[in-house]
Amino acid sequence: MSSTALVMLAETLRIAAPYACAAIGGIWAERSGIVQIGLEGVLLAAAFTSVVVAHATGSAATGLAAAIAAGAALSLGHALLVERARVDAVVSGIALNLLAYAGTRLLLRGLYDSASSSPSIEGFRAGPTGKSGAALLARVLLDPVSLAAALAIAATPLLIARTRFGLRVRAAGENPAAAAAAGVPVTRVRCAALALSGAICAIGGAHLAYDQRRFDSGMSNGRGFIALAAVVVSGLRAGRAALACLLFGALEALQIALQSAARGASRAGDLVQLLPYVATLVALGLAARRAAAPGEPGSRAGP
């Protein structure tokens, strides 16, 4: 494989990881029966937490653990608002996104006297140095956050399909009344699923921040919403969602390469930046058309 192909593969995997983690988190939430449009906020809050803790402690691993805890706590709070306080899930998700965006900017100002970015952090150092395609791919594959993301993505279909907890999550989402009649504690199962959803999504936020070696205000940049589109397109199947995110990652990597090639033409560069978003709209349109077709199965697909 040529060096250029290796670079494109490495860039695709690197870019796709936050999308995929957010999408898998969204699948856990949707499977449990709670709509989670706050993926963007969880990504942003987790990215911020990972950088703040890593900067304060000098430990990237501690920063990652803190990000996972923050993501789980935020998503659990969303579940409690929906289940206990009976707040509409869409309203709660929007509030989560707004809280994360405004809260991180406020805390950036308070902690680092900046409304735009944090100080740089070390992050994880794994794999060989160098600028070759092979070295870049090795760094991506050996990165601990990438490995954690891959493990969460690979384990999700098995957990949903073959464990008692996964069965309870699916029952709580598909027929909560029947699940409750069978003795399943629906609220507790949903809260546990949302906590797991937030933890997996938070890995994507930490990946985003560690990849940039700092936190930038609003750095999630719509990734949570594109991940939500992947959840819809996948029919709540983790494997399909991960493949959709890989496609988005490949398109973004292609956009970066084309933008670099079109550096002298500003209009062409602006148009190239739209590639991932156009692909998202096309995918959503195809999914809506498939759902509207007569005889098509419902969105609550198998594992």
Side-chain angles (χ1 to χ4, degrees), residues 225 228-230 232-233 278-290:
F225 296 111
L228 194 60
V232 173
V233 169
V278 171
T280 302
L281 292 174
V282 170
L284 284 173
L286 292 175
R289 183 178 179 182
R290 184 180 60 188

Side-chain angles (χ1 to χ4, degrees), residues 29-300:
E30 294 280 351
R31 284 285 194 174
S32 73
I34 296 180
V35 176
Q36 172 59 306
I37 66 169
L39 298 172
E40 181 83 0
V42 174
L43 279 175
L44 195 59
F48 178 78
T49 302
S50 66
V51 169
V52 169
V53 174
H55 182 263
T57 63
S59 170
T62 305
L64 175 60
I68 292 172
L74 275 176
S75 201
L76 177 59
H78 170 65
L80 290 173
L81 284 174
V82 173
E83 287 293 300
R84 297 294 190 190
R86 298 301 175 186
V87 175
D88 184 83
V90 174
V91 173
S92 178
I94 292 173
L96 194 160
N97 288 333
L98 293 175
L99 176 65
Y101 181 76
T104 52
R105 285 181 66 91
L106 181 64
L107 290 171
L108 267 179
R109 175 70 70 182
L111 292 173
Y112 307 119
D113 196 26
S114 170
S116 58
S117 61
S118 71
S120 297
I121 60 169
E122 184 68 18
F124 290 107
R125 296 286 182 181
T129 59
K131 296 182 179 179
S132 67
L136 179 59
L137 181 60
R139 286 199 296 274
V140 171
L141 294 177
L142 295 175
D143 177 63
V145 188
S146 297
L147 293 174
L151 178 62
I153 293 165
T156 289
L158 298 177
L159 291 174
I160 290 176
R162 300 186 182 182
T163 65
R164 183 182 181 186
F165 175 65
L167 176 61
R168 289 187 164 198
V169 169
R170 285 156 51 200
E174 293 170 8
N175 197 330
V184 175
V186 173
T187 296
R188 279 191 291 170
V189 168
R190 284 177 168 175
C191 287
L194 264 291
L196 181 58
S197 162
I200 295 173
C201 185
I203 296 173
H207 186 285
L208 188 62
Y210 283 4
D211 182 57
Q212 300 295 324
R213 305 291 178 184
R214 66 179 186 181
F215 176 83
D216 292 321
S217 180
M219 71 185 308
S220 52
N221 198 27
R223 287 173 174 83
F225 296 111
I226 293 179
L228 194 60
V231 172
V232 173
V233 169
S234 72
L236 306 189
R237 296 183 184 229
R240 291 181 181 179
L243 287 175
C245 291
L246 278 175
L247 174 60
F248 295 147
L251 286 171
E252 190 169 331
L254 179 62
Q255 169 244 312
I256 293 171
L258 292 177
Q259 191 175 8
S260 177
R263 191 170 297 169
S266 59
R267 289 185 180 179
D270 291 341
L271 290 174
V272 164
Q273 290 183 43
L274 296 175
L275 272 177
Y277 305 102
V278 171
T280 302
L281 292 174
V282 170
L284 284 173
L286 292 175
R289 183 178 179 182
R290 184 180 60 188
E296 285 290 330
S299 63
R300 298 227 175 249

